[in-house]
Amino acid sequence: MANLSTGPIENRPVGGVRPTQQVTVKIDNNDSVNFSTVLIQGYHLNGTRTLFVLELFTVAPNQVVTKDYNANFDGFEFIFTTSDPIGESTEISVWGKSPSGQLVAAHRLVADELLGSTEATNDTMNLIYVANFNSNDVSVIDGSTNTVISTIPVGVNPSGVGVNPLTERIYVTNQGDDTVSVIDGETNTVVAAVLVGLEPSDAGVNIDTNTIYTANFNSLDTTEDVSVISGLTNTVFDTVTIPGINLSTGISANSLTNRIYVANFNFDHVSVIDGSSNTIIDTIPVQVNPFRVGVNPNTNRIYVSNFTSNTVSVIDGSTNTVITNVPVGTTPGEVGVNTTTNAIYVPNRGTNNVSVIDGSTNTVVATIPVGTNPNGVGVNALTNRIYVTNQDDDTVSVIDGVTNTVIATITVGDRPFSIGVNP
C-alpha cells in the first residue's frame, strides 16, 4: 500500500477568479490481471482543514477511471491511499481546470506529507483490532497473513472499537471500568486511558475533526450518554445527554456531514447529534432494541441493527427518515459497511451467520455461515476482506468479499466482542 498527497495547493482569486475551479483525478490500473483500489480524501483549506471528498474506487485490470471534483476554495489538498505501491500497477495524475473547463496545471504528487512516507505507513496498515471482552485485551491481526501479531492489555470488558486511520489511533471502550484505551497503531501500545461515562459500549470516530464519541450504556437520566473526546489531547471536552434511561449501545459518525448517530436500545430510536455543536438535532424511530450503527458516507445511508426485531433499519441521512427495514438473521450484532462495493455485513448471533445486504437494493444477497455467536464485524474496503468475531469460539472468521466465503479462521482472546480495522 502507499499514500500520496498533492500537498496544500494555493488557489486564491486572481483578478476575482480562482485559477482552479475543478480538479480532475485520473487513475490508471496498468495491471492486466489484478484489481487495484484507491481511497481518495479531499480537503479544503479555507482557514480550517475540512474533509469534503471521501471516495474509494475499485479499478479493474487495464481500466482508467476519471473523476472531477469541486476545487473552488482558497486552498485544497487531495490524499490517495492505494492497495499497491504507486507506480507498480496504479498511476494517478491530478490536474486543475479553469472556469471554462480547460486544463491549467498538473498538481504534483508526493509521499504523503501528513501521514509520512510509504515506507513508514506500510507497517501500520491492514491491521485488525479485536476487543476480547473476557480477557481484557485486544488481539492485533495482520490482514496480509491472517495471524495474531500482538496482544494489547486494555481496561475491563472491552466492548467497542473505533479507528482513525489518519492519526493511527485506535479507541477501545472498556465497559467494566468506564474508560477508553487509546492505542498507538504504530507501536501497538496504550498511550492513554480516558475516563468517560458509565459503561461505554461503543466508539465512533469522526476522522475529519479527529473527535471520538462514546455510547455510554448505563448512564442515568441526568448524566452524559455520549462522551466527546479530542483525539489531539485525549481528553473529554464535551458531553451529550439523551433524555431518559435510553441505554446507548452503538454509535457511528459520518465524517462528511459531521453527524453522529446513537442507537438507544431501550427507546427503539436513534439520536442524531450535530458534531459542530454536540447537540441532538433529531430523533429517528426504528424497530425494537437498536443495537449497533454503520454508516456509508458516500451514499449518506445509516444502517441500524435491531436486536429483537431481527432487522436492519436503513436511514436516509439527508432526511433522517427510515427508508426500509431489511429482515436478517436472529439477534443481529454489529454493522460493517464496505464503501467501495456498497455491501453491508451483519453478524447474526442466534443463527451463526452473516447477512450480506446490497446497499443499492436494500436486500439480502448472501448468507455466510461463520462461528458460534458472532457479534462484531470490521471491513477493509481496500482489500475487500470482512472480519467477524465469534464470541463462543474465541475466533475471528475472515470473509472474502468477492466470493462471500470464509477463507480463514483465527484464534484470538476470550469472548471476542467487537472489531475495528486500520486499512
Side-chain angles (χ1 to χ4, degrees):
M1 296 185 185
N3 287 304
L4 287 183
S5 170
T6 61
I9 304 296
E10 178 72 25
N11 194 38
R12 293 185 183 276
V14 177
V17 178
R18 289 191 177 91
T20 298
Q21 297 286 303
Q22 277 192 332
V23 159
T24 294
V25 174
K26 191 175 290 291
I27 305 168
D28 176 16
N29 179 13
N30 56 41
D31 193 302
S32 60
V33 177
N34 298 308
F35 284 74
S36 67
T37 55
V38 178
L39 174 67
I40 301 179
Q41 295 160 279
Y43 295 86
H44 65 75
L45 311 175
N46 291 356
T48 59
R49 192 168 188 268
T50 304
L51 184 73
F52 75 101
V53 172
L54 183 63
E55 282 197 273
L56 191 101
F57 292 94
T58 298
V59 188
N62 293 320
Q63 183 184 17
V64 177
V65 173
T66 302
K67 188 66 183 286
D68 291 328
Y69 297 104
N70 176 39
N72 191 21
F73 310 112
D74 287 344
F76 60 88
E77 177 184 20
F78 281 83
I79 295 173
F80 305 91
T81 303
T82 72
S83 57
D84 66 330
I86 289 291
E88 185 170 294
S89 64
T90 306
E91 296 178 339
I92 301 173
S93 67
V94 184
W95 289 81
K97 283 186 176 180
S98 69
S100 63
Q102 298 298 311
L103 296 176
V104 293
H107 297 306
R108 65 194 180 118
L109 284 173
V110 297
D112 190 346
E113 296 172 342
L114 296 177
L115 299 182
S117 68
T118 300
E119 182 179 356
T121 57
N122 272 347
D123 290 341
T124 58
M125 287 188 172
N126 198 11
L127 298 182
I128 297 87
Y129 294 83
V130 184
N132 302 306
F133 191 87
N134 285 350
S135 53
N136 302 327
D137 54 28
V138 170
S139 300
V140 185
I141 298 171
D142 182 339
S144 61
T145 62
N146 288 328
T147 57
V148 174
I149 59 172
S150 182
T151 301
I152 308 169
V154 289
V156 180
N157 300 142
S159 59
V161 183
V163 177
N164 188 337
L166 300 184
T167 62
E168 301 289 358
R169 290 290 185 268
I170 298 88
Y171 301 90
V172 181
T173 55
N174 303 302
Q175 196 162 352
D177 62 13
D178 306 334
T179 64
V180 172
S181 296
V182 183
I183 296 173
D184 182 338
E186 293 185 359
T187 62
N188 283 327
T189 57
V190 174
V191 295
V194 184
L195 185 65
V196 292
L198 297 177
E199 296 189 24
S201 60
D202 195 17
V205 179
N206 185 332
I207 64 172
D208 180 36
T209 61
N210 194 16
T211 305
I212 302 88
Y213 299 84
T214 67
N216 303 321
F217 177 74
N218 205 25
S219 290
L220 302 177
D221 187 19
T222 57
T223 59
E224 73 274 12
D225 295 282
V226 175
S227 301
V228 186
I229 301 171
S230 165
L232 185 63
T233 63
N234 291 326
T235 57
V236 174
F237 70 92
D238 207 349
T239 60
V240 181
T241 300
I242 300 169
I245 302 176
N246 58 296
L247 306 183
S248 299
T249 50
I251 193 164
S252 191
N254 186 334
S255 297
L256 289 181
T257 62
N258 200 12
R259 295 290 184 267
I260 298 87
Y261 301 89
V262 187
N264 300 305
F265 192 85
N266 203 35
F267 286 165
D268 303 338
H269 62 51
V270 171
S271 297
V272 185
I273 297 172
D274 180 346
S276 60
S277 62
N278 289 323
T279 57
I280 298 172
I281 58 172
D282 211 342
T283 301
I284 308 169
V286 288
Q287 295 198 308
V288 181
N289 298 141
F291 181 58
R292 296 287 202 184
V293 185
V295 172
N296 189 339
N298 295 339
T299 61
N300 199 13
R301 293 290 185 267
I302 299 89
Y303 301 89
V304 182
S305 60
N306 300 301
F307 199 76
T308 301
S309 294
N310 303 324
T311 59
V312 170
S313 295
V314 183
I315 297 172
D316 182 340
S318 62
T319 62
N320 288 333
T321 56
V322 173
I323 301 170
T324 188
N325 295 294
V326 183
V328 290
T330 305
T331 53
E334 294 190 339
V335 181
V337 178
N338 188 327
T339 56
T340 302
T341 61
N342 198 17
I344 298 88
Y345 299 86
V346 185
N348 303 299
R349 292 187 182 191
T351 45
N352 301 327
N353 54 27
V354 174
S355 298
V356 185
I357 300 172
D358 182 339
S360 61
T361 62
N362 292 322
T363 57
V364 174
V365 294
T367 302
I368 308 167
V370 287
T372 307
N373 199 11
N375 181 74
V377 62
V379 176
N380 189 336
L382 290 177
T383 62
N384 202 8
R385 292 288 185 268
I386 301 90
Y387 303 87
V388 177
T389 62
N390 305 303
Q391 296 182 91
D392 292 355
D393 294 346
D394 297 339
T395 62
V396 169
S397 297
V398 184
I399 296 172
D400 182 336
V402 176
T403 62
N404 283 329
T405 57
V406 173
I407 58 173
T409 302
I410 307 164
T411 300
V412 290
D414 189 1
R415 197 186 169 199
F417 192 83
S418 184
I419 198 161
V421 175
N422 186 359

